[in-house]
Amino acid sequence: TVRSQSAGMLRLSLSGLWVASAISVRRWKPLENEIVNAFHSAEAKLETFQQPERSFVDNLISAFISIFILLVVAAAYNYVKGEPELHTASVEGREQILQELDEKDRDGNTKFAHGVCGCCDTSVPLCLMSFCCTGVRWADTARMAGWFTFWVAIALMAVVEFGAVFGLLGWVMFTAVGMYFRQKTRVAFGMENGGATWCIDCLCYAFCCCCAVAQEAQQYEDAWSAGHPVAKAVALERQEEPRASA
């Protein structure tokens, strides 16, 4: 009958599927074993080439080497660049720079003249120094801002470098120092400061410190080249220091 014929066809189809699946399993099983063995072999090789944990002495030696390199680069940089000077830009350039520095947002606060990721807006040497010799470039910014002398700022960066001996302590120290003085930059230029900006500055230095250093450096370089009141106040304070000591 038609029903019996259909049942027979169904049994035949199921039998064919079972045979096909059995053949597929037998065919792919060796390939699966090869993949698993290759994975375990690669894992074993990675464990073989894994570097041993660094000891405290190794970290201490690395810190002293880093501090030595910092001092050498700082000496060369300070010799080449020298003390910052006012009004190095042309008259037309000063007006444009001052407009950028004094540009206000919708809340009436000034803002950074360059974005935190606007590294292409900065000069090539400044960008390279910020990314390759971050501590030295930050020390120069600290000098231009009037926070420290150049070598006192370098000494502070050396302490931060030494903090790397204790793991993430150096990273935490640099983040804290950068965040604190970034707030001072905000205050000096009349930007929004305090409150949520602490979190913003903390994130900038924690995860993008080179960009933050480059942004602040360009801010003060522009201020000095255009004769901004912030730079003039620092220059005047330096002129009065020798008189006070005399």
Side-chain angles (χ1 to χ4, degrees):
T1 62
V2 176
R3 183 177 295 178
S4 61
Q5 289 178 355
S6 299
M9 291 295 293
L10 179 61
R11 293 193 194 95
L12 182 61
S13 300
L14 292 174
S15 300
L17 288 173
W18 183 85
V19 172
S21 62
I23 293 173
S24 298
V25 169
R26 290 180 180 178
R27 182 179 297 174
W28 288 102
K29 193 66 177 177
L31 181 59
E32 180 184 354
N33 292 335
E34 290 180 6
I35 294 174
V36 172
N37 292 334
F39 176 77
H40 289 307
S41 176
E43 190 176 20
K45 289 181 180 180
L46 285 175
E47 291 179 355
T48 303
F49 288 103
Q50 187 176 6
Q51 294 183 354
E53 293 185 2
R54 293 167 60 90
S55 65
F56 177 79
V57 176
D58 292 335
N59 291 334
L60 191 64
I61 294 173
S62 298
F64 279 118
I65 292 174
S66 299
I67 292 172
F68 176 75
I69 295 173
L70 174 71
L71 295 176
V72 171
V73 174
Y77 177 85
N78 189 47
Y79 176 79
V80 172
K81 186 181 181 185
E83 292 292 329
E85 297 180 359
L86 289 170
H87 305 300
T88 56
S90 62
V91 177
E92 297 79 6
R94 292 178 202 170
E95 294 178 358
Q96 182 179 355
I97 292 172
L98 288 174
Q99 288 179 359
E100 294 175 353
L101 290 174
D102 294 332
E103 184 179 354
K104 299 185 183 298
D105 57 20
R106 58 186 179 183
D107 296 326
N109 300 313
T110 56
K111 56 184 181 179
F112 283 101
H114 306 274
V116 71
C117 295
C119 301
C120 295
D121 297 338
T122 62
S123 64
V124 175
L126 187 150
C127 186
L128 290 176
M129 284 298 300
S130 300
F131 279 82
C132 300
C133 304
T134 310
V136 176
R137 180 56 254 191
W138 186 90
D140 190 22
T141 302
R143 169 174 58 181
M144 300 180 80
W147 304 330
F148 306 107
T149 63
F150 179 74
W151 286 108
V152 170
I154 287 294
L156 179 59
M157 290 296 101
V159 173
V160 171
E161 287 283 353
F162 188 78
V165 174
F166 304 97
L168 293 176
L169 181 61
W171 173 67
V172 173
M173 290 171 63
F174 188 65
T175 300
V177 170
M179 175 180 61
Y180 174 77
F181 285 101
R182 190 174 174 86
Q183 283 288 312
K184 292 178 75 68
T185 297
R186 289 179 177 274
V187 173
F189 284 92
M191 305 178 194
E192 182 184 2
N193 57 86
T197 61
W198 281 102
C199 297
I200 297 173
D201 294 344
C202 179
L203 291 174
C204 286
Y205 265 91
F207 301 106
C208 199
C209 62
C210 297
C211 294
V213 169
Q215 183 189 33
E216 295 167 14
Q218 190 62 60
Q219 185 81 8
Y220 280 101
E221 291 284 354
D222 289 349
W224 277 81
S225 64
H228 191 272
V230 172
K232 286 182 177 179
V234 177
L236 181 62
E237 184 179 351
R238 288 185 180 171
Q239 291 176 359
E240 292 177 351
E241 284 178 357
R243 299 174 186 175
S245 59

